[in-house]
Amino acid sequence: MILGKHEKNDKMVQIDLDLDCSNCGKNVPGGIKVSEKYYATESFEKELISFQENYLCGICRDKKRTKN
């Protein structure tokens, strides 16, 4: 998954995260990519925290999708 805005020629940074589903608590290994410029900003930190707090595993995401 890619977070933030980036341009075509920006260098990307790979970050490995240990994510937990915010619904069922299942641990999901994963990683994100972010541009080097955006990586050092305060808005990246806020977006990362929000992403981790609202992350749904594939099963919970599909249940939510089919529920609507």
Side-chain angles (χ1 to χ4, degrees):
M1 174 170 279
I2 298 174
L3 287 183
K5 296 180 181 179
H6 64 282
E7 295 179 14
K8 186 176 181 180
N9 297 329
D10 283 347
K11 289 186 179 180
M12 301 298 279
V13 176
Q14 174 75 28
I15 302 170
D16 293 323
L17 296 174
D18 242 0
L19 297 170
D20 294 324
C21 177
S22 60
N23 189 38
C24 68
K26 180 180 176 181
N27 186 294
V28 182
I32 60 169
K33 288 185 179 181
V34 64
S35 73
E36 283 184 350
K37 293 178 188 176
Y38 187 62
Y39 180 68
T41 63
E42 187 176 315
S43 59
F44 167 70
E45 293 294 329
K46 289 179 184 178
E47 187 175 358
L48 182 61
I49 290 169
S50 174
F51 175 74
Q52 289 175 323
E53 290 174 351
N54 299 310
Y55 183 78
L56 294 176
C57 68
I59 295 169
C60 292
R61 185 181 61 236
D62 290 345
K63 285 180 185 177
K64 184 178 178 181
R65 240 186 240 159
T66 58
K67 192 177 193 180
N68 294 335

